[in-house]
Amino acid sequence: MSKDILVGDHFLSGDVAAAEGAIAAGCRFFAGYPITPSSEVAERMARRLPEVGGIFIQMEDELASMAAILGASWGGRKAMTATSGPGFSLMMENYGLGIMTETPVVIVNVQRAGPSTGLPTLLGQGDVMQARWGTHGSYQAIALSPESPQECFDMTIKAFNLAERFRQPVILLMDESVGHLFERVTIPPKEEIEIVNRKILKDKNRKIYEPDEDLVPPMPPIGEGFGIHVTGLTHDERGYPSINAETQERMIGRINDKIRKYADEIVDYEEFMVDDAEVIVVAYGITARSARRAVIMARENGIKAGLFRLKVIWPFPSKRLEELSDREFVVAEVNNGQALVEVERAIKKRAVFVGKMGGEPHKPQEILKGIEEAVK
Amino acid sequence: MSIIKADTHPLDRYLRTERLPHVWCPGCGIGTVLGAYLRAMEKIGMDPEKSIMVSGIGCTGRAAGYVRMDSFHTTHGRAIPFAVGLKAARPDLNVTVFSGDGDLFAIGGNHIIHAARRNANITVVAINNFTYGMTGGQLAPTTPETGITTTSPYGNVESPFNLAGLIAVAGASYVARWTSLHVRRLEKSLEKALKKRGFSFVEVLSQCPTAYGRRNRMRDPVDTLKYFQKYAVVKNHVNPLEGVIEPNKPFVVGEFLDAPEEPTFEDKLWELTKAEFLHTSQAERSEWIIEHRRHLEVLSRIISGKGGEE
Amino acid sequence: MATESNTEKLLERSGLSLPRGEVYLIEDRCKGCGLCIAFCPKHVLVVSDKFNKKGYHPPELVEEEPVNVCINCGFCERICPEFAIFVKEKKEE
């Protein structure tokens, strides 16, 4: 049996499932720094990558980890790192470099409660806005949020596919509870896994940042005489620094537009009992699991409730939420209201907020109370 | 006879000539060092198509933008980890980090000592101009004591890093220090550094007339070079502890360390990916890993004054 | 004033001559820093009066046969930060 895809049913934690998803997606380079609750991703990669011809490096810190995966990606390898809040903060600088230089990589952030060191071993979902706006400048983020180990596997593959397609770092925004949750994970055979690979530039005379129709430029290989120059400075199509407003408008406009243009294709959500619902709970990650239970309990109590689960957090599914805006809304998340801001912006009214500062997931009863308040 | 007008320079095939003249100030030594680097490359026949230059941020960080090879101008301080990742992914390519003292030793200080410790097979050229030139001449971790900068207007009260000494003890395989005046010996050192399998490091003291010299009685670039001429003492197998640079005192230049070659970081990483290696016993693997770590042996011979030869 | 060094006397006595060089300049790359002038071992370069495109004074060559002449040592080429000046061996005519 091939070692890269461990076909079959396994009992895995979310962290380990994410690592297996990466390997199945073709990830052959990992650089990271230990941090709870994401260390199991690195540990699994350290054991597994050599078996499949991949390279694992434990770097000196998260700044280095992020830089190293960008270097490896330019070296032609699919590359990933994994971290949690404090490390995610340190990675923001080179996350920006990845956006600016259009480098496909995947960053796994297993969220814990913050700010700062916060609750290293306990749940938080407070990095939603950081995943959107964490590095400076104007850009579009892509972030996915799994609710189960199975989704950790599936969505890591999807994260790589999106990264490769759009040439941009993609964030897998897990949380501690999902990361440490053990469940059955079914790994399908290779032929059932869709894999997207970056477009490779072949024409040496073409400017390296000249985009195709989809606004994504094919990625030049290195060591083959292209003589490319890649910089974090604002650059023109040749890749050369061009420090002026006109280039900024054109080039940064494009790296935003390449995501915006296809946002509808990237957006992904699950609607559970939403059709006839008078009140909709918006949740993601581990919170969605409590919310699902709360929705069932509400239905048992005669309230027509539904769950709108964000599978992709960024880009945000504003269009669909706007279509549903004639219903009442509850937003549940383990922070002080981050997705809440986007939901209210989409539905153009207030939602009932059921937040927690972190440390434990919601009890379904807590969300149920929010549902009852919304229909009052 | 008068000067003959020319349109092309012998190094032009290594340069993105369409981007010249470069951004560096008149009399800045970075162009000189870049020239030495390209001559060394040419001398040893290093294929520019298989060579990568990675830079960080700052004046020297702009070097990557002028060489006609695949080049990366990364973030401040992170050229080394970017290069470490790239080299590990692509050990078939020659990877050089070309950057400045502030980039490599202040904001990037942690990365460079770890890359040296791992014996990553990259070459690092560190141009040490004692200051942050790009931002207007602030205090650097290399500014000599008493040095005047915009953020040490009363004179630097900190002790500077001894870059070559630091990297020699951190685990590098080859370490040398020259100045922008010692262009021929620098070239020779760069040839050795580029050929060396393992972490090689060449520090080049260089003039910054605009941001540092101007404030420290070396307004003309020639003044700094005359200073180097007066105080540089050429020595080999330099005890890393002797690498300290103090103002208006002799300082050593030369080869600090030329350790015997041994498996590099990348050799070890790739060895791990071989099935036969993974299936050997832990004891056999340990033996392979520790077989050749002779850097410390050489270093201790140098420190105890027994010379750096085997 | 041209003065002969011991090396040159020695070379002459043994019937040898120093190599001769031709100096080339890409004038518009020059930033007039003067390093080539200051460190030419034969002092055959001086600041010229003319301006290049960028407004700098490029060097000019002032050879005095037979001693103060370019010996093709290549130091100007190596010290020049601008890839502007270089030398080639002068072929015997």
Side-chain angles (χ1 to χ4, degrees), chain B residues 1-308:
Chain B
M1 177 127 214
S2 53
I3 288 191
I4 303 163
K5 273 198 177 170
D7 302 316
T8 57
H9 187 276
L11 290 175
D12 276 4
R13 73 184 187 99
Y14 296 107
L15 291 163
R16 299 181 193 269
T17 49
E18 68 273 26
R19 300 204 63 223
L20 294 179
H22 49 59
V23 292
W24 301 312
C25 303
C28 167
I30 299 170
T32 305
V33 182
L34 185 60
Y37 175 83
L38 297 175
R39 279 183 196 94
M41 239 181 101
E42 187 172 43
K43 185 75 182 297
I44 65 168
M46 198 167 110
D47 181 359
E49 293 202 357
K50 298 288 173 202
S51 304
I52 313 287
M53 186 179 278
V54 184
S55 283
I57 296 296
C59 291
T60 311
R62 291 299 189 95
Y66 298 111
V67 291
R68 191 172 292 290
M69 53 179 111
D70 292 333
S71 54
F72 296 90
H73 179 224
T74 63
T75 42
H76 199 16
R78 319 297 165 219
I80 297 254
F82 187 98
V84 165
L86 197 155
K87 179 70 183 181
R90 291 294 300 276
D92 57 315
L93 303 174
N94 310 304
V95 178
T96 296
V97 171
F98 201 99
S99 218
D101 49 307
D103 185 70
L104 292 168
F105 285 89
I107 192 165
N110 196 31
H111 307 310
I112 194 164
I113 56 175
H114 284 278
R117 170 180 69 79
R118 295 182 176 110
N119 197 27
N121 188 10
I122 59 175
T123 298
V124 178
V125 181
I127 298 192
N128 176 0
N129 61 6
F130 315 106
T131 193
Y132 287 89
M134 184 68 87
T135 45
Q138 293 81 17
L139 181 72
T142 45
T143 305
E145 279 175 314
T146 73
I148 307 283
T149 70
T150 58
T151 50
S152 61
Y154 307 110
N156 178 23
V157 296
E158 301 180 12
S159 299
F161 258 145
N162 155 12
L163 307 186
L166 174 65
I167 296 308
V169 299
S173 288
Y174 180 84
V175 177
R177 171 197 287 159
W178 296 105
T179 78
S180 52
L181 183 71
H182 296 81
V183 279
R184 285 177 196 277
R185 293 196 245 216
L186 168 63
E187 233 170 273
K188 286 277 167 231
S189 255
L190 288 168
E191 286 169 27
K192 284 174 102 169
L194 288 172
K195 279 198 280 194
K196 191 74 173 187
R197 294 195 83 254
F199 192 85
S200 56
F201 175 80
V202 180
E203 174 187 7
V204 193
L205 306 181
S206 179
Q207 71 276 22
C208 174
T210 308
Y212 189 73
R214 185 158 56 94
R215 299 187 175 91
N216 293 277
R217 294 183 300 281
M218 291 184 282
R219 180 176 293 272
D220 193 301
V222 174
D223 298 339
T224 312
L225 294 193
K226 294 255 152 122
Y227 179 96
F228 292 158
Q229 203 166 28
K230 184 173 172 191
Y231 289 113
V233 178
V234 180
K235 219 178 147 184
N236 268 343
H237 310 309
V238 180
N239 180 339
L241 299 174
E242 288 169 19
V244 177
I245 299 174
E246 293 173 280
N248 302 313
K249 278 190 186 164
F251 63 88
V252 284
V253 295
E255 259 179 18
F256 280 56
L257 181 70
D258 187 2
E261 283 183 7
E262 51 199 32
T264 66
F265 179 48
E266 298 78 11
D267 291 340
K268 291 173 188 170
L269 289 176
W270 282 88
E271 189 68 23
L272 286 177
T273 68
K274 293 178 188 156
E276 58 272 29
F277 184 76
L278 285 178
H279 291 127
T280 53
S281 70
Q282 185 72 46
E284 283 171 289
R285 287 199 294 265
S286 306
E287 206 172 302
W288 184 86
I289 291 166
I290 59 171
E291 192 182 355
H292 308 275
R293 203 64 184 112
R294 289 189 307 200
H295 161 267
L296 275 179
E297 255 174 65
V298 179
L299 198 64
S300 47
R301 271 205 303 278
I302 291 173
I303 293 174
S304 59
K306 292 180 194 145

Side-chain angles (χ1 to χ4, degrees), chain C:
Chain C
M1 258 297 287
T3 50
E4 287 190 50
S5 71
N6 288 338
T7 319
E8 278 134 12
K9 279 180 200 154
L10 207 70
L11 283 167
E12 205 188 315
R13 239 180 284 148
S14 36
L16 296 167
S17 59
L18 280 172
R20 291 289 303 272
E22 292 173 329
V23 186
Y24 291 79
L25 181 71
I26 307 168
E27 209 173 275
D28 289 330
R29 283 192 193 170
C30 177
K31 289 181 189 160
C33 69
L35 293 180
C36 56
I37 296 168
F39 291 98
C40 170
K42 301 299 289 179
H43 309 291
V44 295
L45 293 168
V46 294
V47 188
S48 70
D49 293 333
K50 64 176 170 186
F51 293 98
N52 69 6
K53 221 193 277 173
K54 296 260 173 192
Y56 295 112
H57 295 291
E60 68 183 355
L61 189 65
V62 283
E63 291 187 310
E64 279 177 64
E65 301 282 353
V67 176
N68 281 358
V69 293
C70 172
I71 54 165
N72 196 34
C73 75
F75 200 81
C76 58
E77 178 175 336
R78 287 184 161 82
I79 200 85
C80 173
E82 302 297 329
F83 308 97
I85 197 166
F86 60 97
V87 289
K88 280 186 192 169
E89 196 185 339
K90 194 174 182 179
K91 302 267 155 40
E92 292 294 325
E93 275 136 46

Side-chain angles (χ1 to χ4, degrees), chain A residues 260-293:
Chain A
R260 276 198 197 119
K261 187 175 169 186
Y262 298 99
D264 289 347
E265 290 177 37
I266 305 169
V267 160
D268 196 10
Y269 48 82
E270 180 203 342
E271 291 183 3
F272 173 72
M273 296 185 168
V274 159
D275 282 355
D276 66 339
E278 50 186 320
V279 54
I280 296 171
V281 184
V282 179
Y284 52 89
I286 196 69
T287 314
R289 297 172 73 124
S290 304
R292 197 186 313 269
R293 182 74 208 135

Side-chain angles (χ1 to χ4, degrees), chain A residues 58-335:
Chain A
Q58 183 171 315
M59 296 300 288
E60 53 274 18
D61 57 31
E62 288 88 349
L63 305 157
S65 305
M66 190 63 211
I69 64 169
L70 295 179
S73 180
W74 277 99
R77 298 211 142 207
K78 290 189 184 177
M80 181 170 98
T81 187
T83 190
S84 188
F88 195 55
S89 293
L90 289 178
M91 285 178 183
M92 286 299 111
E93 173 196 44
N94 283 319
Y95 169 55
L97 181 66
I99 293 199
M100 191 57 140
T101 56
E102 302 184 60
T103 310
V105 291
V106 171
I107 306 162
V108 176
N109 174 6
V110 188
Q111 296 170 92
R112 65 196 223 187
S116 190
T117 315
L119 302 173
T121 59
L122 298 175
L123 171 70
Q125 291 185 321
D127 306 350
V128 171
M129 282 300 175
Q130 190 182 20
R132 175 64 189 87
W133 300 109
T135 195
H136 56 281
S138 296
Y139 59 95
Q140 303 297 313
I142 302 178
L144 286 61
S145 177
E147 68 158 356
S148 65
Q150 180 68 53
E151 275 196 351
C152 289
F153 177 86
D154 297 339
M155 283 194 186
T156 306
I157 297 171
K158 186 173 173 181
F160 270 101
N161 288 348
L162 290 168
E164 294 282 318
R165 176 178 166 193
F166 292 104
R167 274 189 70 181
Q168 161 149 330
V170 170
I171 296 162
L172 186 75
L173 201 58
M174 291 169 51
D175 56 54
E176 184 277 334
S177 300
V178 170
H180 284 164
L181 183 68
F182 277 77
E183 273 183 353
R184 182 161 76 182
V185 174
T186 302
I187 299 183
K190 197 169 199 150
E191 51 280 8
E192 286 173 28
I193 299 175
E194 192 208 349
I195 300 291
V196 176
N197 292 315
R198 65 191 74 172
K199 296 179 290 186
I200 303 286
L201 183 63
K202 294 193 176 73
D203 180 1
K204 283 189 185 167
N205 295 316
R206 181 169 158 182
K207 293 176 188 150
I208 65 162
Y209 281 109
E210 192 185 304
D212 284 342
E213 213 165 294
D214 63 0
L215 303 181
V216 180
M219 197 155 168
I222 62 165
E224 291 182 20
F226 280 73
I228 61 167
H229 183 59
V230 175
T231 175
L233 286 166
T234 295
H235 45 268
D236 60 20
E237 284 77 0
R238 294 173 303 172
Y240 291 173
S242 177
I243 312 300
N244 58 64
E246 190 268 326
T247 311
Q248 175 76 7
E249 195 71 38
R250 185 174 81 249
M251 297 302 279
I252 308 309
R254 178 180 62 72
I255 65 170
N256 278 272
D257 289 345
K258 74 176 177 184
I259 309 295
R260 276 198 197 119
K261 187 175 169 186
Y262 298 99
D264 289 347
E265 290 177 37
I266 305 169
V267 160
D268 196 10
Y269 48 82
E270 180 203 342
E271 291 183 3
F272 173 72
M273 296 185 168
V274 159
D275 282 355
D276 66 339
E278 50 186 320
V279 54
I280 296 171
V281 184
V282 179
Y284 52 89
I286 196 69
T287 314
R289 297 172 73 124
S290 304
R292 197 186 313 269
R293 182 74 208 135
V295 162
I296 293 165
M297 287 158 71
R299 291 259 171 188
E300 284 166 3
N301 294 352
I303 303 171
K304 284 181 180 165
L307 167 68
F308 188 94
R309 179 168 74 91
L310 306 170
K311 294 166 78 176
V312 169
I313 295 195
W314 304 113
F316 203 78
S318 306
K319 253 187 224 167
R320 179 60 184 148
L321 287 171
E322 195 181 345
E323 287 166 11
L324 297 169
S325 60
D326 56 335
R327 330 288 177 87
E328 295 306 318
F329 274 82
V330 174
V331 177
E333 52 187 339
V334 188
N335 60 47

